[in-house]
Amino acid sequence: EVQLVESGGGLVQPGGSLRLSCAASGFTFRSTFSNYWVHWVRQAPGQGLVWVSRMDSDGRIISYADSVKDRFTISRDNAKNTLYLQMNSLRAEDTAIYYCVLSEIGHWYFDLWGRGTLVTVSS
Amino acid sequence: QSALTQPRSVSGSPGQSLTISCIGTSSDVGGYNYVSWYQQHPGKAPKLMIYDVNKRPSGVPDRFSGSKSGNTASLTISGLQAEDEADYYCCSYAGRYTLWVFGGGTKLTVL
């Protein structure tokens, strides 16, 4: 069973930076980390889900929500089965639980979710 | 304000059926057959319940079903059970620039 574990969240001041990581495990020889697109989805306290960013299986197709474009950078290391989100110029409105999410290639939905990591932007 | 509109709350008694609506536009729900639904219990990660409008992943009870008419998608839960009490979110692919949009979520209460 594939499992996703996020880390790197915490308290940061406005304007600061954080790097989130997501370690994926439990793959079989039939299905590896590189068979998946990767996403970050966030949820502000008491609010709904918002898609943030995605990267295709080999890192060539990258997309961002307008609210984070030019501030956040998604990346992946297929050799380490790990997904990253570099967050710069953080704002109070970026405060949220950030979920690491996988989609099998060709799936236009979110198959697997991590448990999330909380990012709090406050002075 | 979320891109897709869901009722904030719905409720039903055990054994009853209920439907949660998800209203979008021709640019998202109405334009693609890529509507999905997620269940989220308090403090837990979301879980995929329905994909591609009306398909169920392995392990999801057949009490859960999805449909779409025009710009409105729906999730129907029949034979309501206590463990169905959770928040439910709809999501739609919205094209190559917006990509994915979610609804604001619906809190389901089992009376």
Side-chain angles (χ1 to χ4, degrees), chain A residues 31-67:
Chain A
S31 179
T32 65
F33 183 64
S34 58
N35 291 136
Y36 293 85
W37 287 8
V38 293
H39 307 260
W40 290 96
V41 175
R42 70 184 182 184
Q43 185 172 33
Q47 302 299 311
L49 301 168
V50 177
W51 173 81
V52 172
S53 180
R54 71 97 184 250
M55 173 177 277
D56 72 339
S57 56
D58 56 14
R60 282 186 285 186
I61 300 175
I62 297 173
S63 306
Y64 299 97
D66 286 344
S67 58

PDB file of all heavy atoms in Angstrom, chain A residues 31-67:
ATOM      1  N   SER A  31       4.105  -0.721 -10.171  1.00  0.00           N
ATOM      2  CA  SER A  31       3.733   0.680 -10.077  1.00  0.00           C
ATOM      3  C   SER A  31       4.751   1.420  -9.222  1.00  0.00           C
ATOM      4  O   SER A  31       4.874   1.139  -8.029  1.00  0.00           O
ATOM      5  CB  SER A  31       2.345   0.811  -9.447  1.00  0.00           C
ATOM      6  OG  SER A  31       1.975   2.159  -9.329  1.00  0.00           O
ATOM      7  N   THR A  32       5.473   2.334  -9.816  1.00  0.00           N
ATOM      8  CA  THR A  32       6.508   3.067  -9.095  1.00  0.00           C
ATOM      9  C   THR A  32       6.134   4.535  -8.984  1.00  0.00           C
ATOM     10  O   THR A  32       5.184   5.005  -9.627  1.00  0.00           O
ATOM     11  CB  THR A  32       7.853   2.945  -9.824  1.00  0.00           C
ATOM     12  OG1 THR A  32       7.727   3.605 -11.095  1.00  0.00           O
ATOM     13  CG2 THR A  32       8.226   1.491 -10.039  1.00  0.00           C
ATOM     14  N   PHE A  33       6.890   5.271  -8.217  1.00  0.00           N
ATOM     15  CA  PHE A  33       6.653   6.694  -8.014  1.00  0.00           C
ATOM     16  C   PHE A  33       6.630   7.435  -9.345  1.00  0.00           C
ATOM     17  O   PHE A  33       5.834   8.361  -9.551  1.00  0.00           O
ATOM     18  CB  PHE A  33       7.737   7.243  -7.089  1.00  0.00           C
ATOM     19  CG  PHE A  33       7.579   8.710  -6.728  1.00  0.00           C
ATOM     20  CD1 PHE A  33       6.484   9.147  -6.008  1.00  0.00           C
ATOM     21  CD2 PHE A  33       8.551   9.635  -7.096  1.00  0.00           C
ATOM     22  CE1 PHE A  33       6.349  10.481  -5.654  1.00  0.00           C
ATOM     23  CE2 PHE A  33       8.428  10.972  -6.748  1.00  0.00           C
ATOM     24  CZ  PHE A  33       7.325  11.392  -6.029  1.00  0.00           C
ATOM     25  N   SER A  34       7.447   7.008 -10.272  1.00  0.00           N
ATOM     26  CA  SER A  34       7.524   7.695 -11.556  1.00  0.00           C
ATOM     27  C   SER A  34       6.310   7.425 -12.443  1.00  0.00           C
ATOM     28  O   SER A  34       6.208   7.982 -13.533  1.00  0.00           O
ATOM     29  CB  SER A  34       8.817   7.312 -12.285  1.00  0.00           C
ATOM     30  OG  SER A  34       8.886   5.922 -12.469  1.00  0.00           O
ATOM     31  N   ASN A  35       5.396   6.545 -12.014  1.00  0.00           N
ATOM     32  CA  ASN A  35       4.146   6.316 -12.745  1.00  0.00           C
ATOM     33  C   ASN A  35       3.072   7.341 -12.376  1.00  0.00           C
ATOM     34  O   ASN A  35       1.953   7.266 -12.883  1.00  0.00           O
ATOM     35  CB  ASN A  35       3.584   4.924 -12.427  1.00  0.00           C
ATOM     36  CG  ASN A  35       4.433   3.802 -12.992  1.00  0.00           C
ATOM     37  OD1 ASN A  35       4.698   2.810 -12.322  1.00  0.00           O
ATOM     38  ND2 ASN A  35       4.860   3.947 -14.236  1.00  0.00           N
ATOM     39  N   TYR A  36       3.391   8.247 -11.480  1.00  0.00           N
ATOM     40  CA  TYR A  36       2.400   9.182 -10.966  1.00  0.00           C
ATOM     41  C   TYR A  36       2.745  10.637 -11.271  1.00  0.00           C
ATOM     42  O   TYR A  36       3.900  11.036 -11.238  1.00  0.00           O
ATOM     43  CB  TYR A  36       2.269   9.043  -9.450  1.00  0.00           C
ATOM     44  CG  TYR A  36       1.683   7.734  -8.981  1.00  0.00           C
ATOM     45  CD1 TYR A  36       2.488   6.609  -8.815  1.00  0.00           C
ATOM     46  CD2 TYR A  36       0.329   7.620  -8.700  1.00  0.00           C
ATOM     47  CE1 TYR A  36       1.952   5.408  -8.389  1.00  0.00           C
ATOM     48  CE2 TYR A  36      -0.212   6.428  -8.264  1.00  0.00           C
ATOM     49  CZ  TYR A  36       0.607   5.327  -8.110  1.00  0.00           C
ATOM     50  OH  TYR A  36       0.074   4.142  -7.685  1.00  0.00           O
ATOM     51  N   TRP A  37       1.704  11.421 -11.542  1.00  0.00           N
ATOM     52  CA  TRP A  37       1.824  12.866 -11.431  1.00  0.00           C
ATOM     53  C   TRP A  37       1.764  13.200  -9.948  1.00  0.00           C
ATOM     54  O   TRP A  37       1.135  12.474  -9.175  1.00  0.00           O
ATOM     55  CB  TRP A  37       0.683  13.549 -12.151  1.00  0.00           C
ATOM     56  CG  TRP A  37       0.781  13.506 -13.641  1.00  0.00           C
ATOM     57  CD1 TRP A  37       1.667  12.803 -14.400  1.00  0.00           C
ATOM     58  CD2 TRP A  37      -0.064  14.186 -14.559  1.00  0.00           C
ATOM     59  NE1 TRP A  37       1.427  13.003 -15.728  1.00  0.00           N
ATOM     60  CE2 TRP A  37       0.374  13.852 -15.868  1.00  0.00           C
ATOM     61  CE3 TRP A  37      -1.147  15.056 -14.416  1.00  0.00           C
ATOM     62  CZ2 TRP A  37      -0.233  14.363 -17.008  1.00  0.00           C
ATOM     63  CZ3 TRP A  37      -1.759  15.552 -15.549  1.00  0.00           C
ATOM     64  CH2 TRP A  37      -1.305  15.205 -16.822  1.00  0.00           C
ATOM     65  N   VAL A  38       2.384  14.297  -9.557  1.00  0.00           N
ATOM     66  CA  VAL A  38       2.361  14.697  -8.156  1.00  0.00           C
ATOM     67  C   VAL A  38       1.750  16.087  -8.030  1.00  0.00           C
ATOM     68  O   VAL A  38       1.892  16.918  -8.927  1.00  0.00           O
ATOM     69  CB  VAL A  38       3.796  14.690  -7.560  1.00  0.00           C
ATOM     70  CG1 VAL A  38       4.327  13.267  -7.491  1.00  0.00           C
ATOM     71  CG2 VAL A  38       4.736  15.571  -8.349  1.00  0.00           C
ATOM     72  N   HIS A  39       1.053  16.298  -6.930  1.00  0.00           N
ATOM     73  CA  HIS A  39       0.355  17.555  -6.685  1.00  0.00           C
ATOM     74  C   HIS A  39       0.565  17.993  -5.238  1.00  0.00           C
ATOM     75  O   HIS A  39       0.834  17.173  -4.370  1.00  0.00           O
ATOM     76  CB  HIS A  39      -1.159  17.402  -6.874  1.00  0.00           C
ATOM     77  CG  HIS A  39      -1.598  16.818  -8.162  1.00  0.00           C
ATOM     78  ND1 HIS A  39      -2.065  17.575  -9.211  1.00  0.00           N
ATOM     79  CD2 HIS A  39      -1.680  15.526  -8.565  1.00  0.00           C
ATOM     80  CE1 HIS A  39      -2.422  16.776 -10.199  1.00  0.00           C
ATOM     81  NE2 HIS A  39      -2.198  15.531  -9.840  1.00  0.00           N
ATOM     82  N   TRP A  40       0.345  19.268  -5.006  1.00  0.00           N
ATOM     83  CA  TRP A  40       0.129  19.806  -3.675  1.00  0.00           C
ATOM     84  C   TRP A  40      -1.264  20.438  -3.653  1.00  0.00           C
ATOM     85  O   TRP A  40      -1.616  21.188  -4.574  1.00  0.00           O
ATOM     86  CB  TRP A  40       1.186  20.832  -3.290  1.00  0.00           C
ATOM     87  CG  TRP A  40       2.542  20.236  -3.069  1.00  0.00           C
ATOM     88  CD1 TRP A  40       3.560  20.152  -3.972  1.00  0.00           C
ATOM     89  CD2 TRP A  40       3.029  19.634  -1.863  1.00  0.00           C
ATOM     90  NE1 TRP A  40       4.645  19.526  -3.407  1.00  0.00           N
ATOM     91  CE2 TRP A  40       4.345  19.199  -2.118  1.00  0.00           C
ATOM     92  CE3 TRP A  40       2.483  19.408  -0.599  1.00  0.00           C
ATOM     93  CZ2 TRP A  40       5.127  18.566  -1.149  1.00  0.00           C
ATOM     94  CZ3 TRP A  40       3.252  18.783   0.364  1.00  0.00           C
ATOM     95  CH2 TRP A  40       4.555  18.368   0.098  1.00  0.00           C
ATOM     96  N   VAL A  41      -2.019  20.116  -2.635  1.00  0.00           N
ATOM     97  CA  VAL A  41      -3.348  20.682  -2.403  1.00  0.00           C
ATOM     98  C   VAL A  41      -3.354  21.213  -0.976  1.00  0.00           C
ATOM     99  O   VAL A  41      -2.821  20.559  -0.083  1.00  0.00           O
ATOM    100  CB  VAL A  41      -4.450  19.608  -2.574  1.00  0.00           C
ATOM    101  CG1 VAL A  41      -5.826  20.174  -2.202  1.00  0.00           C
ATOM    102  CG2 VAL A  41      -4.467  19.075  -4.010  1.00  0.00           C
ATOM    103  N   ARG A  42      -3.922  22.386  -0.770  1.00  0.00           N
ATOM    104  CA  ARG A  42      -3.914  22.958   0.577  1.00  0.00           C
ATOM    105  C   ARG A  42      -5.312  23.223   1.093  1.00  0.00           C
ATOM    106  O   ARG A  42      -6.275  23.306   0.333  1.00  0.00           O
ATOM    107  CB  ARG A  42      -3.077  24.233   0.623  1.00  0.00           C
ATOM    108  CG  ARG A  42      -3.660  25.434  -0.103  1.00  0.00           C
ATOM    109  CD  ARG A  42      -2.666  26.604  -0.049  1.00  0.00           C
ATOM    110  NE  ARG A  42      -3.173  27.802  -0.693  1.00  0.00           N
ATOM    111  CZ  ARG A  42      -2.473  28.922  -0.849  1.00  0.00           C
ATOM    112  NH1 ARG A  42      -1.209  28.986  -0.409  1.00  0.00           N
ATOM    113  NH2 ARG A  42      -3.005  29.982  -1.441  1.00  0.00           N
ATOM    114  N   GLN A  43      -5.394  23.364   2.418  1.00  0.00           N
ATOM    115  CA  GLN A  43      -6.663  23.588   3.090  1.00  0.00           C
ATOM    116  C   GLN A  43      -6.436  24.550   4.241  1.00  0.00           C
ATOM    117  O   GLN A  43      -5.833  24.182   5.250  1.00  0.00           O
ATOM    118  CB  GLN A  43      -7.246  22.265   3.581  1.00  0.00           C
ATOM    119  CG  GLN A  43      -8.623  22.363   4.191  1.00  0.00           C
ATOM    120  CD  GLN A  43      -9.219  20.996   4.486  1.00  0.00           C
ATOM    121  OE1 GLN A  43      -8.501  20.051   4.822  1.00  0.00           O
ATOM    122  NE2 GLN A  43     -10.525  20.873   4.346  1.00  0.00           N
ATOM    123  N   ALA A  44      -6.907  25.758   4.083  1.00  0.00           N
ATOM    124  CA  ALA A  44      -6.802  26.747   5.154  1.00  0.00           C
ATOM    125  C   ALA A  44      -7.685  26.316   6.323  1.00  0.00           C
ATOM    126  O   ALA A  44      -8.662  25.585   6.124  1.00  0.00           O
ATOM    127  CB  ALA A  44      -7.224  28.122   4.650  1.00  0.00           C
ATOM    128  N   PRO A  45      -7.371  26.749   7.540  1.00  0.00           N
ATOM    129  CA  PRO A  45      -8.138  26.318   8.718  1.00  0.00           C
ATOM    130  C   PRO A  45      -9.635  26.531   8.542  1.00  0.00           C
ATOM    131  O   PRO A  45     -10.074  27.650   8.252  1.00  0.00           O
ATOM    132  CB  PRO A  45      -7.565  27.208   9.834  1.00  0.00           C
ATOM    133  CG  PRO A  45      -6.183  27.517   9.391  1.00  0.00           C
ATOM    134  CD  PRO A  45      -6.250  27.642   7.902  1.00  0.00           C
ATOM    135  N   GLY A  46     -10.409  25.467   8.675  1.00  0.00           N
ATOM    136  CA  GLY A  46     -11.855  25.537   8.572  1.00  0.00           C
ATOM    137  C   GLY A  46     -12.385  25.797   7.176  1.00  0.00           C
ATOM    138  O   GLY A  46     -13.583  26.042   7.009  1.00  0.00           O
ATOM    139  N   GLN A  47     -11.513  25.732   6.189  1.00  0.00           N
ATOM    140  CA  GLN A  47     -11.920  26.052   4.820  1.00  0.00           C
ATOM    141  C   GLN A  47     -11.868  24.822   3.917  1.00  0.00           C
ATOM    142  O   GLN A  47     -11.571  23.713   4.363  1.00  0.00           O
ATOM    143  CB  GLN A  47     -11.004  27.140   4.252  1.00  0.00           C
ATOM    144  CG  GLN A  47     -10.990  28.422   5.057  1.00  0.00           C
ATOM    145  CD  GLN A  47     -12.355  29.068   5.126  1.00  0.00           C
ATOM    146  OE1 GLN A  47     -13.031  29.242   4.122  1.00  0.00           O
ATOM    147  NE2 GLN A  47     -12.784  29.423   6.338  1.00  0.00           N
ATOM    148  N   GLY A  48     -12.149  25.026   2.642  1.00  0.00           N
ATOM    149  CA  GLY A  48     -12.162  23.939   1.680  1.00  0.00           C
ATOM    150  C   GLY A  48     -10.803  23.658   1.070  1.00  0.00           C
ATOM    151  O   GLY A  48      -9.799  24.294   1.404  1.00  0.00           O
ATOM    152  N   LEU A  49     -10.796  22.707   0.158  1.00  0.00           N
ATOM    153  CA  LEU A  49      -9.570  22.291  -0.512  1.00  0.00           C
ATOM    154  C   LEU A  49      -9.272  23.200  -1.701  1.00  0.00           C
ATOM    155  O   LEU A  49     -10.191  23.646  -2.397  1.00  0.00           O
ATOM    156  CB  LEU A  49      -9.715  20.846  -1.003  1.00  0.00           C
ATOM    157  CG  LEU A  49     -10.008  19.805   0.080  1.00  0.00           C
ATOM    158  CD1 LEU A  49     -10.430  18.479  -0.560  1.00  0.00           C
ATOM    159  CD2 LEU A  49      -8.797  19.609   0.973  1.00  0.00           C
ATOM    160  N   VAL A  50      -7.990  23.448  -1.926  1.00  0.00           N
ATOM    161  CA  VAL A  50      -7.553  24.279  -3.054  1.00  0.00           C
ATOM    162  C   VAL A  50      -6.337  23.618  -3.695  1.00  0.00           C
ATOM    163  O   VAL A  50      -5.345  23.347  -3.013  1.00  0.00           O
ATOM    164  CB  VAL A  50      -7.192  25.706  -2.593  1.00  0.00           C
ATOM    165  CG1 VAL A  50      -6.662  26.516  -3.779  1.00  0.00           C
ATOM    166  CG2 VAL A  50      -8.387  26.398  -1.974  1.00  0.00           C
ATOM    167  N   TRP A  51      -6.426  23.366  -4.988  1.00  0.00           N
ATOM    168  CA  TRP A  51      -5.282  22.814  -5.714  1.00  0.00           C
ATOM    169  C   TRP A  51      -4.188  23.885  -5.828  1.00  0.00           C
ATOM    170  O   TRP A  51      -4.490  25.056  -6.124  1.00  0.00           O
ATOM    171  CB  TRP A  51      -5.727  22.353  -7.096  1.00  0.00           C
ATOM    172  CG  TRP A  51      -4.600  21.931  -7.958  1.00  0.00           C
ATOM    173  CD1 TRP A  51      -3.948  20.735  -7.951  1.00  0.00           C
ATOM    174  CD2 TRP A  51      -3.944  22.733  -8.956  1.00  0.00           C
ATOM    175  NE1 TRP A  51      -2.932  20.733  -8.876  1.00  0.00           N
ATOM    176  CE2 TRP A  51      -2.916  21.940  -9.511  1.00  0.00           C
ATOM    177  CE3 TRP A  51      -4.130  24.028  -9.430  1.00  0.00           C
ATOM    178  CZ2 TRP A  51      -2.076  22.401 -10.505  1.00  0.00           C
ATOM    179  CZ3 TRP A  51      -3.305  24.493 -10.422  1.00  0.00           C
ATOM    180  CH2 TRP A  51      -2.278  23.679 -10.957  1.00  0.00           C
ATOM    181  N   VAL A  52      -2.939  23.506  -5.604  1.00  0.00           N
ATOM    182  CA  VAL A  52      -1.832  24.453  -5.583  1.00  0.00           C
ATOM    183  C   VAL A  52      -0.896  24.274  -6.776  1.00  0.00           C
ATOM    184  O   VAL A  52      -0.550  25.244  -7.459  1.00  0.00           O
ATOM    185  CB  VAL A  52      -1.027  24.310  -4.267  1.00  0.00           C
ATOM    186  CG1 VAL A  52       0.244  25.152  -4.293  1.00  0.00           C
ATOM    187  CG2 VAL A  52      -1.885  24.688  -3.072  1.00  0.00           C
ATOM    188  N   SER A  53      -0.465  23.037  -7.011  1.00  0.00           N
ATOM    189  CA  SER A  53       0.557  22.831  -8.031  1.00  0.00           C
ATOM    190  C   SER A  53       0.593  21.374  -8.467  1.00  0.00           C
ATOM    191  O   SER A  53       0.143  20.490  -7.723  1.00  0.00           O
ATOM    192  CB  SER A  53       1.930  23.235  -7.484  1.00  0.00           C
ATOM    193  OG  SER A  53       2.949  23.054  -8.459  1.00  0.00           O
ATOM    194  N   ARG A  54       1.137  21.137  -9.654  1.00  0.00           N
ATOM    195  CA  ARG A  54       1.310  19.765 -10.120  1.00  0.00           C
ATOM    196  C   ARG A  54       2.540  19.654 -11.001  1.00  0.00           C
ATOM    197  O   ARG A  54       2.968  20.623 -11.629  1.00  0.00           O
ATOM    198  CB  ARG A  54       0.088  19.256 -10.867  1.00  0.00           C
ATOM    199  CG  ARG A  54      -0.131  19.883 -12.238  1.00  0.00           C
ATOM    200  CD  ARG A  54       0.399  19.057 -13.388  1.00  0.00           C
ATOM    201  NE  ARG A  54       0.220  19.780 -14.651  1.00  0.00           N
ATOM    202  CZ  ARG A  54      -0.636  19.425 -15.597  1.00  0.00           C
ATOM    203  NH1 ARG A  54      -1.388  18.353 -15.446  1.00  0.00           N
ATOM    204  NH2 ARG A  54      -0.727  20.138 -16.692  1.00  0.00           N
ATOM    205  N   MET A  55       3.066  18.434 -11.042  1.00  0.00           N
ATOM    206  CA  MET A  55       4.201  18.131 -11.892  1.00  0.00           C
ATOM    207  C   MET A  55       3.964  16.754 -12.511  1.00  0.00           C
ATOM    208  O   MET A  55       3.499  15.847 -11.823  1.00  0.00           O
ATOM    209  CB  MET A  55       5.503  18.142 -11.083  1.00  0.00           C
ATOM    210  CG  MET A  55       6.718  17.682 -11.861  1.00  0.00           C
ATOM    211  SD  MET A  55       8.230  17.788 -10.878  1.00  0.00           S
ATOM    212  CE  MET A  55       8.656  19.515 -11.107  1.00  0.00           C
ATOM    213  N   ASP A  56       4.305  16.590 -13.785  1.00  0.00           N
ATOM    214  CA  ASP A  56       4.092  15.288 -14.413  1.00  0.00           C
ATOM    215  C   ASP A  56       5.188  14.313 -13.986  1.00  0.00           C
ATOM    216  O   ASP A  56       6.047  14.637 -13.178  1.00  0.00           O
ATOM    217  CB  ASP A  56       4.011  15.431 -15.929  1.00  0.00           C
ATOM    218  CG  ASP A  56       5.366  15.741 -16.568  1.00  0.00           C
ATOM    219  OD1 ASP A  56       6.267  16.230 -15.855  1.00  0.00           O
ATOM    220  OD2 ASP A  56       5.504  15.495 -17.772  1.00  0.00           O
ATOM    221  N   SER A  57       5.144  13.128 -14.541  1.00  0.00           N
ATOM    222  CA  SER A  57       5.974  12.035 -14.032  1.00  0.00           C
ATOM    223  C   SER A  57       7.473  12.275 -14.184  1.00  0.00           C
ATOM    224  O   SER A  57       8.260  11.827 -13.353  1.00  0.00           O
ATOM    225  CB  SER A  57       5.589  10.714 -14.706  1.00  0.00           C
ATOM    226  OG  SER A  57       5.679  10.848 -16.112  1.00  0.00           O
ATOM    227  N   ASP A  58       7.878  12.990 -15.220  1.00  0.00           N
ATOM    228  CA  ASP A  58       9.316  13.213 -15.407  1.00  0.00           C
ATOM    229  C   ASP A  58       9.711  14.669 -15.231  1.00  0.00           C
ATOM    230  O   ASP A  58      10.825  15.044 -15.587  1.00  0.00           O
ATOM    231  CB  ASP A  58       9.786  12.674 -16.752  1.00  0.00           C
ATOM    232  CG  ASP A  58       9.007  13.251 -17.911  1.00  0.00           C
ATOM    233  OD1 ASP A  58       8.292  14.251 -17.697  1.00  0.00           O
ATOM    234  OD2 ASP A  58       9.108  12.709 -19.020  1.00  0.00           O
ATOM    235  N   GLY A  59       8.808  15.485 -14.691  1.00  0.00           N
ATOM    236  CA  GLY A  59       9.156  16.853 -14.339  1.00  0.00           C
ATOM    237  C   GLY A  59       9.120  17.869 -15.457  1.00  0.00           C
ATOM    238  O   GLY A  59       9.581  18.997 -15.285  1.00  0.00           O
ATOM    239  N   ARG A  60       8.571  17.503 -16.601  1.00  0.00           N
ATOM    240  CA  ARG A  60       8.589  18.445 -17.728  1.00  0.00           C
ATOM    241  C   ARG A  60       7.355  19.343 -17.780  1.00  0.00           C
ATOM    242  O   ARG A  60       7.404  20.445 -18.324  1.00  0.00           O
ATOM    243  CB  ARG A  60       8.735  17.671 -19.033  1.00  0.00           C
ATOM    244  CG  ARG A  60      10.160  17.213 -19.286  1.00  0.00           C
ATOM    245  CD  ARG A  60      10.300  16.571 -20.641  1.00  0.00           C
ATOM    246  NE  ARG A  60       9.728  15.231 -20.671  1.00  0.00           N
ATOM    247  CZ  ARG A  60       9.826  14.409 -21.726  1.00  0.00           C
ATOM    248  NH1 ARG A  60      10.439  14.800 -22.819  1.00  0.00           N
ATOM    249  NH2 ARG A  60       9.284  13.208 -21.677  1.00  0.00           N
ATOM    250  N   ILE A  61       6.237  18.874 -17.233  1.00  0.00           N
ATOM    251  CA  ILE A  61       5.009  19.680 -17.225  1.00  0.00           C
ATOM    252  C   ILE A  61       4.739  20.112 -15.795  1.00  0.00           C
ATOM    253  O   ILE A  61       4.544  19.281 -14.906  1.00  0.00           O
ATOM    254  CB  ILE A  61       3.815  18.884 -17.773  1.00  0.00           C
ATOM    255  CG1 ILE A  61       4.091  18.447 -19.209  1.00  0.00           C
ATOM    256  CG2 ILE A  61       2.544  19.722 -17.692  1.00  0.00           C
ATOM    257  CD1 ILE A  61       3.019  17.550 -19.780  1.00  0.00           C
ATOM    258  N   ILE A  62       4.749  21.417 -15.588  1.00  0.00           N
ATOM    259  CA  ILE A  62       4.560  21.988 -14.252  1.00  0.00           C
ATOM    260  C   ILE A  62       3.493  23.071 -14.333  1.00  0.00           C
ATOM    261  O   ILE A  62       3.481  23.855 -15.286  1.00  0.00           O
ATOM    262  CB  ILE A  62       5.880  22.594 -13.728  1.00  0.00           C
ATOM    263  CG1 ILE A  62       6.946  21.502 -13.573  1.00  0.00           C
ATOM    264  CG2 ILE A  62       5.652  23.328 -12.414  1.00  0.00           C
ATOM    265  CD1 ILE A  62       8.312  22.045 -13.225  1.00  0.00           C
ATOM    266  N   SER A  63       2.597  23.082 -13.339  1.00  0.00           N
ATOM    267  CA  SER A  63       1.555  24.101 -13.312  1.00  0.00           C
ATOM    268  C   SER A  63       1.352  24.579 -11.892  1.00  0.00           C
ATOM    269  O   SER A  63       1.602  23.833 -10.930  1.00  0.00           O
ATOM    270  CB  SER A  63       0.225  23.533 -13.844  1.00  0.00           C
ATOM    271  OG  SER A  63       0.372  22.965 -15.115  1.00  0.00           O
ATOM    272  N   TYR A  64       0.881  25.833 -11.770  1.00  0.00           N
ATOM    273  CA  TYR A  64       0.620  26.432 -10.460  1.00  0.00           C
ATOM    274  C   TYR A  64      -0.713  27.167 -10.477  1.00  0.00           C
ATOM    275  O   TYR A  64      -1.133  27.699 -11.509  1.00  0.00           O
ATOM    276  CB  TYR A  64       1.714  27.440 -10.095  1.00  0.00           C
ATOM    277  CG  TYR A  64       3.095  26.858  -9.998  1.00  0.00           C
ATOM    278  CD1 TYR A  64       3.983  26.933 -11.060  1.00  0.00           C
ATOM    279  CD2 TYR A  64       3.523  26.228  -8.826  1.00  0.00           C
ATOM    280  CE1 TYR A  64       5.256  26.388 -10.978  1.00  0.00           C
ATOM    281  CE2 TYR A  64       4.801  25.690  -8.731  1.00  0.00           C
ATOM    282  CZ  TYR A  64       5.654  25.770  -9.808  1.00  0.00           C
ATOM    283  OH  TYR A  64       6.916  25.228  -9.718  1.00  0.00           O
ATOM    284  N   ALA A  65      -1.342  27.224  -9.318  1.00  0.00           N
ATOM    285  CA  ALA A  65      -2.485  28.105  -9.138  1.00  0.00           C
ATOM    286  C   ALA A  65      -1.987  29.543  -9.192  1.00  0.00           C
ATOM    287  O   ALA A  65      -0.851  29.833  -8.796  1.00  0.00           O
ATOM    288  CB  ALA A  65      -3.168  27.831  -7.799  1.00  0.00           C
ATOM    289  N   ASP A  66      -2.819  30.454  -9.676  1.00  0.00           N
ATOM    290  CA  ASP A  66      -2.412  31.854  -9.796  1.00  0.00           C
ATOM    291  C   ASP A  66      -1.950  32.429  -8.459  1.00  0.00           C
ATOM    292  O   ASP A  66      -1.044  33.266  -8.410  1.00  0.00           O
ATOM    293  CB  ASP A  66      -3.567  32.698 -10.347  1.00  0.00           C
ATOM    294  CG  ASP A  66      -3.800  32.458 -11.837  1.00  0.00           C
ATOM    295  OD1 ASP A  66      -2.905  31.889 -12.494  1.00  0.00           O
ATOM    296  OD2 ASP A  66      -4.879  32.831 -12.330  1.00  0.00           O
ATOM    297  N   SER A  67      -2.559  31.970  -7.373  1.00  0.00           N
ATOM    298  CA  SER A  67      -2.273  32.537  -6.054  1.00  0.00           C
ATOM    299  C   SER A  67      -0.854  32.252  -5.566  1.00  0.00           C
ATOM    300  O   SER A  67      -0.360  32.913  -4.651  1.00  0.00           O
ATOM    301  CB  SER A  67      -3.278  32.008  -5.025  1.00  0.00           C
ATOM    302  OG  SER A  67      -3.223  30.591  -4.981  1.00  0.00           O
TER     303      SER A  67
END
